[in-house]
Amino acid sequence: DSGVTQTPKHLITATGQRVTLRCSPRSGDLSVYWYQQSLDQGLQFLIQYYNGEERAKGNILERFSAQQFPDLHSELNLSSLELGDSALYFCASSVLAGVDTQYFGPGTRLTVL
Amino acid sequence: AQTVTQSQPEMSVQEAETVTLSCTYDTSENNYYLFWYKQPPSRQMILVIRQEAYKQQNATENRFSVNFQKAAKSFSLKISDSQLGDTAMYFCAFSSFFGNEKLTFGTGTRLTIIP
């Protein structure tokens, strides 16, 4: 158990809908990362927050957004969902904003029908 | 941009044997970190080992060790005395030392330990 929690574990929804994925980092970690794992694109970095502020952006679609709250938990919002958004979404956390080992949560499996 | 290449999509080995997974990367940076993560059937991403590029000594963690060749940009993982629980996807990952600390992953190697 990495200490990073993600909810829900599984999510099934329809095209065009909006969902919110939640992540609680390890105690003491200030940095949160979101990754998407899909069959065709592999593991891809989406976005990073550090202590409430956006720090880096990767291949995140405009339909996706994220935020980190004062208690350091983070949410990833996915809207206007398409079939291709079906994937495993991971949250990872680390203590620092600089290079530091990232510990991954168990992931949220999103299925868009 | 950095790239990470894992050229072995699948490997299998008998239990108790030693296996080596390959990884090469491309970067113009001098300081960076390299990681091996394991993803068992449960889908959890588990850190196996980490290597700082500025360290000449290869990292080891119990049965897991790396062969880090900085000039060749090669970072292989050796698993000794392989166990059934080592069956998993293994991902090599790169992280810059400065700036964006995202992990750039390879495509993975599916390792099966045969009883």
Side-chain angles (χ1 to χ4, degrees):
Chain A
D1 185 355
S2 67
V4 180
T5 60
Q6 288 187 249
T7 56
K9 283 186 101 168
H10 303 278
L11 201 48
I12 301 174
T13 188
T15 55
Q17 295 298 305
R18 172 188 168 94
V19 297
T20 297
L21 314 183
R22 182 188 169 103
C23 167
S24 292
R26 296 185 318 158
S27 177
D29 285 2
L30 300 177
S31 200
V32 169
Y33 306 77
W34 287 97
Y35 292 86
Q36 178 194 59
Q37 184 178 30
S38 61
L39 282 174
D40 54 343
Q41 303 224 17
L43 270 157
Q44 298 230 346
F45 167 73
L46 295 177
I47 197 163
Q48 177 197 4
Y49 277 82
Y50 174 73
N51 204 18
E53 300 287 327
E54 182 184 302
R55 180 168 171 86
K57 248 182 179 176
N59 300 322
I60 187 165
L61 300 171
E62 284 192 18
R63 300 183 285 109
F64 295 1
S65 65
Q67 54 183 326
Q68 186 179 27
F69 294 86
D71 67 351
L72 301 177
H73 91 272
S74 177
E75 292 181 357
L76 179 67
N77 300 296
L78 315 176
S79 61
S80 302
L81 285 167
E82 302 175 0
L83 296 178
D85 298 327
S86 295
L88 189 53
Y89 290 85
F90 284 107
C91 166
S93 74
S94 64
V95 176
L96 305 172
V99 176
D100 192 12
T101 298
Q102 296 178 28
Y103 294 91
F104 282 72
T108 292
R109 165 74 68 188
L110 172 66
T111 302
V112 182
L113 300 175
Chain B
Q2 291 81 15
T3 58
V4 178
T5 302
Q6 293 179 252
S7 58
Q8 304 154 311
E10 293 190 30
M11 296 185 72
S12 60
V13 66
Q14 293 288 137
E15 193 177 3
E17 291 187 350
T18 295
V19 61
T20 298
L21 280 56
S22 301
C23 172
T24 58
Y25 58 94
D26 188 28
T27 183
S28 58
E29 299 177 17
N30 190 47
N31 290 316
Y32 47 87
Y33 284 66
L34 296 163
F35 303 85
W36 279 97
Y37 280 88
K38 165 185 174 180
Q39 187 177 38
S42 66
R43 296 290 192 169
Q44 174 82 47
M45 291 290 288
I46 302 165
L47 176 70
V48 175
I49 201 164
R50 137 181 166 161
Q51 175 78 44
E52 293 86 343
Y54 60 86
K55 289 187 178 178
Q56 292 189 341
Q57 187 171 6
N58 289 324
T60 62
E61 285 288 342
N62 301 313
R63 298 182 295 107
F64 299 88
S65 61
V66 298
N67 183 4
F68 173 50
Q69 302 288 328
K70 191 173 183 180
K73 295 180 183 173
S74 169
F75 183 61
S76 61
L77 174 70
K78 185 171 86 170
I79 306 174
S80 303
D81 186 27
S82 56
Q83 301 174 358
L84 296 179
D86 296 332
T87 292
M89 279 288 284
Y90 286 81
F91 292 95
C92 178
F94 173 101
S95 180
S96 296
F97 198 80
F98 297 108
N100 192 334
E101 298 85 31
K102 68 172 186 177
L103 290 169
T104 299
F105 288 91
T107 50
T109 295
R110 184 176 302 280
L111 176 65
T112 302
I113 309 300
I114 303 166

PDB file of all heavy atoms in Angstrom, chain A residues 61-80:
ATOM      1  N   LEU A  61      -6.058  17.025 -22.341  1.00  0.00           N
ATOM      2  CA  LEU A  61      -7.030  17.606 -23.255  1.00  0.00           C
ATOM      3  C   LEU A  61      -7.718  18.808 -22.608  1.00  0.00           C
ATOM      4  O   LEU A  61      -7.810  18.897 -21.387  1.00  0.00           O
ATOM      5  CB  LEU A  61      -8.086  16.550 -23.629  1.00  0.00           C
ATOM      6  CG  LEU A  61      -7.564  15.296 -24.319  1.00  0.00           C
ATOM      7  CD1 LEU A  61      -8.670  14.257 -24.434  1.00  0.00           C
ATOM      8  CD2 LEU A  61      -6.985  15.628 -25.683  1.00  0.00           C
ATOM      9  N   GLU A  62      -8.226  19.690 -23.454  1.00  0.00           N
ATOM     10  CA  GLU A  62      -8.937  20.863 -22.926  1.00  0.00           C
ATOM     11  C   GLU A  62     -10.209  20.468 -22.195  1.00  0.00           C
ATOM     12  O   GLU A  62     -10.686  21.212 -21.329  1.00  0.00           O
ATOM     13  CB  GLU A  62      -9.263  21.824 -24.078  1.00  0.00           C
ATOM     14  CG  GLU A  62      -8.063  22.619 -24.539  1.00  0.00           C
ATOM     15  CD  GLU A  62      -8.463  23.758 -25.464  1.00  0.00           C
ATOM     16  OE1 GLU A  62      -9.643  24.140 -25.477  1.00  0.00           O
ATOM     17  OE2 GLU A  62      -7.577  24.258 -26.177  1.00  0.00           O
ATOM     18  N   ARG A  63     -10.761  19.331 -22.524  1.00  0.00           N
ATOM     19  CA  ARG A  63     -11.979  18.834 -21.852  1.00  0.00           C
ATOM     20  C   ARG A  63     -11.670  18.355 -20.431  1.00  0.00           C
ATOM     21  O   ARG A  63     -12.575  18.085 -19.646  1.00  0.00           O
ATOM     22  CB  ARG A  63     -12.573  17.661 -22.648  1.00  0.00           C
ATOM     23  CG  ARG A  63     -12.966  18.001 -24.054  1.00  0.00           C
ATOM     24  CD  ARG A  63     -13.618  16.820 -24.739  1.00  0.00           C
ATOM     25  NE  ARG A  63     -12.677  15.781 -25.130  1.00  0.00           N
ATOM     26  CZ  ARG A  63     -12.587  14.597 -24.542  1.00  0.00           C
ATOM     27  NH1 ARG A  63     -13.345  14.282 -23.509  1.00  0.00           N
ATOM     28  NH2 ARG A  63     -11.721  13.682 -24.982  1.00  0.00           N
ATOM     29  N   PHE A  64     -10.385  18.224 -20.109  1.00  0.00           N
ATOM     30  CA  PHE A  64      -9.982  17.739 -18.790  1.00  0.00           C
ATOM     31  C   PHE A  64      -9.455  18.922 -17.971  1.00  0.00           C
ATOM     32  O   PHE A  64      -8.789  19.823 -18.506  1.00  0.00           O
ATOM     33  CB  PHE A  64      -8.880  16.697 -18.905  1.00  0.00           C
ATOM     34  CG  PHE A  64      -9.268  15.418 -19.600  1.00  0.00           C
ATOM     35  CD1 PHE A  64     -10.532  15.219 -20.122  1.00  0.00           C
ATOM     36  CD2 PHE A  64      -8.331  14.403 -19.736  1.00  0.00           C
ATOM     37  CE1 PHE A  64     -10.877  14.028 -20.762  1.00  0.00           C
ATOM     38  CE2 PHE A  64      -8.659  13.214 -20.374  1.00  0.00           C
ATOM     39  CZ  PHE A  64      -9.924  13.036 -20.884  1.00  0.00           C
ATOM     40  N   SER A  65      -9.727  18.895 -16.690  1.00  0.00           N
ATOM     41  CA  SER A  65      -9.165  19.913 -15.808  1.00  0.00           C
ATOM     42  C   SER A  65      -8.892  19.284 -14.452  1.00  0.00           C
ATOM     43  O   SER A  65      -9.420  18.210 -14.136  1.00  0.00           O
ATOM     44  CB  SER A  65     -10.116  21.099 -15.663  1.00  0.00           C
ATOM     45  OG  SER A  65     -11.307  20.680 -15.013  1.00  0.00           O
ATOM     46  N   ALA A  66      -8.069  19.939 -13.669  1.00  0.00           N
ATOM     47  CA  ALA A  66      -7.741  19.398 -12.350  1.00  0.00           C
ATOM     48  C   ALA A  66      -7.551  20.546 -11.379  1.00  0.00           C
ATOM     49  O   ALA A  66      -7.409  21.706 -11.777  1.00  0.00           O
ATOM     50  CB  ALA A  66      -6.482  18.538 -12.424  1.00  0.00           C
ATOM     51  N   GLN A  67      -7.574  20.209 -10.112  1.00  0.00           N
ATOM     52  CA  GLN A  67      -7.231  21.178  -9.086  1.00  0.00           C
ATOM     53  C   GLN A  67      -6.750  20.450  -7.848  1.00  0.00           C
ATOM     54  O   GLN A  67      -7.026  19.259  -7.659  1.00  0.00           O
ATOM     55  CB  GLN A  67      -8.413  22.097  -8.761  1.00  0.00           C
ATOM     56  CG  GLN A  67      -9.695  21.399  -8.388  1.00  0.00           C
ATOM     57  CD  GLN A  67     -10.824  22.400  -8.166  1.00  0.00           C
ATOM     58  OE1 GLN A  67     -10.616  23.515  -7.692  1.00  0.00           O
ATOM     59  NE2 GLN A  67     -12.035  22.012  -8.506  1.00  0.00           N
ATOM     60  N   GLN A  68      -6.014  21.206  -7.032  1.00  0.00           N
ATOM     61  CA  GLN A  68      -5.560  20.671  -5.753  1.00  0.00           C
ATOM     62  C   GLN A  68      -6.085  21.596  -4.672  1.00  0.00           C
ATOM     63  O   GLN A  68      -5.910  22.819  -4.743  1.00  0.00           O
ATOM     64  CB  GLN A  68      -4.031  20.591  -5.690  1.00  0.00           C
ATOM     65  CG  GLN A  68      -3.520  19.900  -4.428  1.00  0.00           C
ATOM     66  CD  GLN A  68      -2.001  19.794  -4.376  1.00  0.00           C
ATOM     67  OE1 GLN A  68      -1.284  20.600  -4.947  1.00  0.00           O
ATOM     68  NE2 GLN A  68      -1.496  18.793  -3.657  1.00  0.00           N
ATOM     69  N   PHE A  69      -6.695  21.024  -3.687  1.00  0.00           N
ATOM     70  CA  PHE A  69      -7.385  21.786  -2.646  1.00  0.00           C
ATOM     71  C   PHE A  69      -6.456  22.074  -1.463  1.00  0.00           C
ATOM     72  O   PHE A  69      -5.387  21.472  -1.349  1.00  0.00           O
ATOM     73  CB  PHE A  69      -8.615  20.998  -2.199  1.00  0.00           C
ATOM     74  CG  PHE A  69      -9.650  20.872  -3.283  1.00  0.00           C
ATOM     75  CD1 PHE A  69      -9.574  19.842  -4.211  1.00  0.00           C
ATOM     76  CD2 PHE A  69     -10.672  21.800  -3.400  1.00  0.00           C
ATOM     77  CE1 PHE A  69     -10.520  19.734  -5.236  1.00  0.00           C
ATOM     78  CE2 PHE A  69     -11.610  21.704  -4.407  1.00  0.00           C
ATOM     79  CZ  PHE A  69     -11.527  20.667  -5.333  1.00  0.00           C
ATOM     80  N   PRO A  70      -6.870  22.996  -0.572  1.00  0.00           N
ATOM     81  CA  PRO A  70      -6.014  23.335   0.576  1.00  0.00           C
ATOM     82  C   PRO A  70      -5.617  22.137   1.437  1.00  0.00           C
ATOM     83  O   PRO A  70      -4.538  22.133   2.033  1.00  0.00           O
ATOM     84  CB  PRO A  70      -6.871  24.326   1.370  1.00  0.00           C
ATOM     85  CG  PRO A  70      -7.704  24.994   0.331  1.00  0.00           C
ATOM     86  CD  PRO A  70      -8.030  23.909  -0.667  1.00  0.00           C
ATOM     87  N   ASP A  71      -6.464  21.095   1.490  1.00  0.00           N
ATOM     88  CA  ASP A  71      -6.066  19.909   2.266  1.00  0.00           C
ATOM     89  C   ASP A  71      -5.180  18.974   1.441  1.00  0.00           C
ATOM     90  O   ASP A  71      -4.851  17.875   1.876  1.00  0.00           O
ATOM     91  CB  ASP A  71      -7.291  19.168   2.791  1.00  0.00           C
ATOM     92  CG  ASP A  71      -8.113  18.529   1.670  1.00  0.00           C
ATOM     93  OD1 ASP A  71      -7.831  18.807   0.482  1.00  0.00           O
ATOM     94  OD2 ASP A  71      -9.042  17.762   1.969  1.00  0.00           O
ATOM     95  N   LEU A  72      -4.784  19.404   0.272  1.00  0.00           N
ATOM     96  CA  LEU A  72      -3.853  18.756  -0.661  1.00  0.00           C
ATOM     97  C   LEU A  72      -4.463  17.611  -1.481  1.00  0.00           C
ATOM     98  O   LEU A  72      -3.772  17.065  -2.342  1.00  0.00           O
ATOM     99  CB  LEU A  72      -2.586  18.270   0.057  1.00  0.00           C
ATOM    100  CG  LEU A  72      -1.793  19.374   0.756  1.00  0.00           C
ATOM    101  CD1 LEU A  72      -0.614  18.802   1.503  1.00  0.00           C
ATOM    102  CD2 LEU A  72      -1.334  20.418  -0.263  1.00  0.00           C
ATOM    103  N   HIS A  73      -5.728  17.282  -1.239  1.00  0.00           N
ATOM    104  CA  HIS A  73      -6.304  16.284  -2.133  1.00  0.00           C
ATOM    105  C   HIS A  73      -6.528  16.930  -3.499  1.00  0.00           C
ATOM    106  O   HIS A  73      -6.591  18.161  -3.626  1.00  0.00           O
ATOM    107  CB  HIS A  73      -7.577  15.664  -1.551  1.00  0.00           C
ATOM    108  CG  HIS A  73      -8.859  16.359  -1.928  1.00  0.00           C
ATOM    109  ND1 HIS A  73      -9.384  17.410  -1.194  1.00  0.00           N
ATOM    110  CD2 HIS A  73      -9.707  16.143  -2.959  1.00  0.00           C
ATOM    111  CE1 HIS A  73     -10.506  17.797  -1.762  1.00  0.00           C
ATOM    112  NE2 HIS A  73     -10.722  17.057  -2.833  1.00  0.00           N
ATOM    113  N   SER A  74      -6.610  16.101  -4.522  1.00  0.00           N
ATOM    114  CA  SER A  74      -6.737  16.619  -5.874  1.00  0.00           C
ATOM    115  C   SER A  74      -7.913  15.947  -6.578  1.00  0.00           C
ATOM    116  O   SER A  74      -8.293  14.817  -6.244  1.00  0.00           O
ATOM    117  CB  SER A  74      -5.452  16.353  -6.658  1.00  0.00           C
ATOM    118  OG  SER A  74      -5.561  16.791  -8.005  1.00  0.00           O
ATOM    119  N   GLU A  75      -8.485  16.651  -7.501  1.00  0.00           N
ATOM    120  CA  GLU A  75      -9.561  16.109  -8.329  1.00  0.00           C
ATOM    121  C   GLU A  75      -9.239  16.329  -9.797  1.00  0.00           C
ATOM    122  O   GLU A  75      -8.735  17.397 -10.168  1.00  0.00           O
ATOM    123  CB  GLU A  75     -10.895  16.760  -7.967  1.00  0.00           C
ATOM    124  CG  GLU A  75     -11.373  16.375  -6.568  1.00  0.00           C
ATOM    125  CD  GLU A  75     -12.699  16.998  -6.205  1.00  0.00           C
ATOM    126  OE1 GLU A  75     -13.253  17.778  -7.008  1.00  0.00           O
ATOM    127  OE2 GLU A  75     -13.193  16.716  -5.100  1.00  0.00           O
ATOM    128  N   LEU A  76      -9.542  15.313 -10.585  1.00  0.00           N
ATOM    129  CA  LEU A  76      -9.401  15.399 -12.036  1.00  0.00           C
ATOM    130  C   LEU A  76     -10.796  15.332 -12.626  1.00  0.00           C
ATOM    131  O   LEU A  76     -11.532  14.367 -12.383  1.00  0.00           O
ATOM    132  CB  LEU A  76      -8.541  14.238 -12.555  1.00  0.00           C
ATOM    133  CG  LEU A  76      -8.315  14.164 -14.067  1.00  0.00           C
ATOM    134  CD1 LEU A  76      -7.459  15.348 -14.537  1.00  0.00           C
ATOM    135  CD2 LEU A  76      -7.635  12.850 -14.443  1.00  0.00           C
ATOM    136  N   ASN A  77     -11.168  16.374 -13.355  1.00  0.00           N
ATOM    137  CA  ASN A  77     -12.489  16.461 -13.955  1.00  0.00           C
ATOM    138  C   ASN A  77     -12.386  16.177 -15.443  1.00  0.00           C
ATOM    139  O   ASN A  77     -11.592  16.800 -16.151  1.00  0.00           O
ATOM    140  CB  ASN A  77     -13.079  17.853 -13.745  1.00  0.00           C
ATOM    141  CG  ASN A  77     -13.202  18.189 -12.267  1.00  0.00           C
ATOM    142  OD1 ASN A  77     -13.946  17.548 -11.531  1.00  0.00           O
ATOM    143  ND2 ASN A  77     -12.449  19.180 -11.813  1.00  0.00           N
ATOM    144  N   LEU A  78     -13.192  15.234 -15.888  1.00  0.00           N
ATOM    145  CA  LEU A  78     -13.213  14.858 -17.303  1.00  0.00           C
ATOM    146  C   LEU A  78     -14.614  15.134 -17.832  1.00  0.00           C
ATOM    147  O   LEU A  78     -15.597  14.613 -17.288  1.00  0.00           O
ATOM    148  CB  LEU A  78     -12.880  13.370 -17.472  1.00  0.00           C
ATOM    149  CG  LEU A  78     -11.700  12.818 -16.659  1.00  0.00           C
ATOM    150  CD1 LEU A  78     -11.560  11.315 -16.871  1.00  0.00           C
ATOM    151  CD2 LEU A  78     -10.416  13.525 -17.017  1.00  0.00           C
ATOM    152  N   SER A  79     -14.711  15.948 -18.875  1.00  0.00           N
ATOM    153  CA  SER A  79     -16.033  16.307 -19.379  1.00  0.00           C
ATOM    154  C   SER A  79     -16.173  15.940 -20.852  1.00  0.00           C
ATOM    155  O   SER A  79     -15.189  15.620 -21.524  1.00  0.00           O
ATOM    156  CB  SER A  79     -16.283  17.798 -19.182  1.00  0.00           C
ATOM    157  OG  SER A  79     -15.326  18.549 -19.893  1.00  0.00           O
ATOM    158  N   SER A  80     -17.428  15.981 -21.333  1.00  0.00           N
ATOM    159  CA  SER A  80     -17.739  15.642 -22.740  1.00  0.00           C
ATOM    160  C   SER A  80     -17.017  14.357 -23.127  1.00  0.00           C
ATOM    161  O   SER A  80     -16.323  14.280 -24.140  1.00  0.00           O
ATOM    162  CB  SER A  80     -17.326  16.781 -23.671  1.00  0.00           C
ATOM    163  OG  SER A  80     -17.967  17.979 -23.308  1.00  0.00           O
TER     164      SER A  80
END
